[in-house]
Amino acid sequence: MSLSVLLAGGGTAGHVSPLLAIADDLRFQDPDASIIVLGTEEGLESRLVPDAGYELVTIPKVPMPRRPNADALRFPGRFRGAVRSVVDLLRERDVDVVLGVGGYVSTPAYLAARRTGTPIVVHEANARPGMANRVGARLTRSDLVGYAFPGTPLKGRHVGMPMRAQIEAVDYDEPAQRRSARRSLGLDEEMPTLVVTGGSLGAQAINDAMAGSLTAIGSAGVQVLHITGAGKGEALREATADLAHYHVRDYVDGMENAYLAADLLVCRAGAGTVAEVSVVWVPAVFVPLAVGNGEQQLNAATHVGAGAAVMVDNADFSADYVVETVLPLVTDAERLGAMREAARREGFPGTAARTMTQMIHDAAGAHHPEREYGPDRWTKHERFYRSGEENA
């Protein structure tokens, strides 16, 4: 029996990316499944979901008012209207399961599912769960709740982060993959390589610290791939014009190649980035952005505690830090090897999308097809464990 599934969530890439990874695995397992994505017109899902080939249904964005004003007076009616819209959608499309990943639309979706008796599955991407998923987790069974990071205070289990198959398939221990990635990025195949990124929007503090340490970088015998963020690379590009091994890009299409190329990665600590770094086993320096209630620092805490990465406050990431800490680390093969081994021992789950697809089938009382990827799509974790089984 093919399922009808509503995937709810959006607003940011942190919600949309795992949602699409789950949708992709669901489509692989059940090509005839009906997959509907619930979002808003304002969020990134309005572009990313149709581009990925999935149907998007939107409802109004109804944020919880933070102060008593006219919006607060209108909120109860608007929120009830959003829930009614999802109830109608669930009934009209005969939805078997609602899966939520958080964001503005997930709470109406969870409450509508509760009203219609539709099973609920929840995935939480951050170490500190948002309000929507705290609600969703209370409305469903604990075996239908998965979270990305250990220690997340929800009932459920640690499943990791659903991510693109290209990231899961990265094998950092395979020299041929690493050489190919460096060639594709125009990098020297043998030089110690530092990759710096602040995410799709860039990170000005990181960019400034790197700009202030160019003299030391030029004499350190390393190459740098610096992904500055869209529209933020021109000044740095001019400043590094005479540094043959300092490569400035506004963005890189396919971060799996950047991970493979890096001996050391400097990056923010958003949930998706931390999970990808943990799965790939690339040594990292996390520079968490001080937003919200410290979510980024919490996301990275376990990985750092395992010895697989280091973390520095955004305010302390300076040119001096680059010179005194980052450059010595990127050329310290022994310490980098120890960090990679720590990441391997940590065993961060690398097949979360498949686990969530299994939860969807369990919620519906349906048989999971158990379709296996071929060797060309096995993740490195599957190859690692299969090798162990074969050699046992």
Side-chain angles (χ1 to χ4, degrees):
M1 178 188 75
S2 290
L3 298 179
S4 175
V5 182
L6 179 72
L7 306 180
T12 67
H15 288 136
V16 180
S17 295
L19 182 151
L20 290 177
I22 295 168
D24 286 346
D25 192 74
L26 181 60
R27 175 182 279 173
F28 174 78
Q29 293 295 337
D30 184 1
D32 295 325
S34 172
I35 300 173
I36 312 157
V37 177
L38 183 72
T40 69
E41 293 181 355
E42 298 91 342
L44 282 178
E45 64 273 17
S46 64
R47 175 175 58 85
L48 297 180
V49 169
D51 285 353
Y54 296 104
E55 178 186 2
L56 176 69
V57 175
T58 62
I59 61 174
K61 178 179 175 180
V62 189
M64 179 77 72
R66 297 184 180 276
R67 62 188 64 182
N69 54 24
D71 283 341
L73 294 175
R74 290 190 290 267
F75 173 77
R78 295 176 62 203
F79 188 78
R80 285 195 297 270
V83 174
R84 281 197 301 270
S85 295
V86 184
V87 167
D88 292 342
L89 177 65
L90 297 180
R91 289 172 173 163
E92 290 168 5
R93 303 296 288 271
D94 198 20
V95 170
D96 295 303
V97 178
V98 169
L99 179 139
V101 296
Y104 289 114
V105 301
S106 289
T107 304
Y110 294 143
L111 294 178
R114 179 71 170 218
R115 185 177 299 179
T116 58
T118 307
I120 296 168
V121 178
V122 176
H123 183 269
E124 173 55 55
N126 285 292
R128 177 170 285 156
M131 180 184 299
N133 280 350
R134 291 200 301 269
V135 170
R138 293 191 188 103
L139 299 179
T140 192
R141 308 190 319 247
S142 61
D143 62 311
L144 300 180
V145 177
Y147 43 78
F149 298 107
T152 300
L154 287 179
K155 63 177 185 177
R157 59 187 172 123
H158 177 212
V159 302
M161 180 74 77
M163 60 187 67
R164 295 185 305 116
Q166 293 91 330
I167 300 291
E168 289 185 355
V170 163
D171 191 344
Y172 195 82
D173 288 339
E174 176 49 58
Q177 278 198 28
R178 301 199 63 202
R179 288 194 298 269
S180 175
R182 289 186 178 184
R183 285 196 302 271
S184 73
L185 294 167
L187 304 176
D188 184 281
E189 293 183 30
E190 304 300 332
M191 290 185 71
T193 303
L194 175 66
V195 174
V196 180
T197 177
S200 59
L201 298 179
Q204 196 60 48
I206 293 177
N207 293 350
D208 290 345
M210 296 301 297
S213 54
L214 295 180
T215 300
I217 291 171
S219 59
V222 305
Q223 65 182 339
V224 178
L225 173 64
H226 190 151
I227 308 165
T228 61
K232 296 184 178 179
E234 193 55 40
L236 191 60
R237 196 173 285 111
E238 292 178 5
T240 59
D242 295 331
L243 296 179
H245 296 294
Y246 201 111
H247 305 265
V248 179
R249 302 278 189 89
D250 281 9
Y251 66 92
V252 166
D253 186 15
M255 277 299 292
E256 61 273 11
N257 285 324
Y259 294 144
L260 279 165
D263 290 303
L264 180 66
L265 179 75
V266 171
C267 57
R268 289 299 195 198
T273 299
V274 173
E276 290 176 358
V277 165
S278 301
V279 163
V280 174
W281 303 338
V282 57
V285 176
F286 290 121
V287 189
L289 185 62
V291 294
N293 296 312
E295 287 89 350
Q296 290 205 359
Q297 190 169 13
L298 284 173
N299 292 339
T302 299
H303 196 59
V304 171
V310 298
M311 184 157 50
V312 56
D313 286 346
N314 186 67
D316 295 331
F317 189 79
S318 62
D320 286 344
Y321 187 88
V322 173
V323 173
E324 296 169 6
T325 302
V326 174
L327 294 180
L329 180 55
V330 75
T331 55
D332 187 340
E334 182 176 351
R335 187 176 176 198
L336 293 175
M339 293 171 75
R340 289 193 296 272
E341 185 58 32
R344 185 198 301 269
R345 289 196 306 269
E346 186 185 18
F348 193 91
T351 55
R354 189 176 312 170
T355 302
M356 297 310 299
T357 302
Q358 290 167 339
M359 286 187 186
I360 289 170
H361 282 81
D362 288 346
H367 171 71
H368 187 271
E370 300 292 347
R371 295 184 64 202
E372 288 196 14
Y373 296 140
D376 59 327
R377 286 195 66 188
W378 285 346
T379 71
K380 70 172 181 181
H381 301 79
E382 289 174 311
R383 288 195 290 272
F384 179 75
Y385 292 120
R386 285 171 185 270
S387 174
E389 291 168 2
E390 291 166 1
N391 295 331

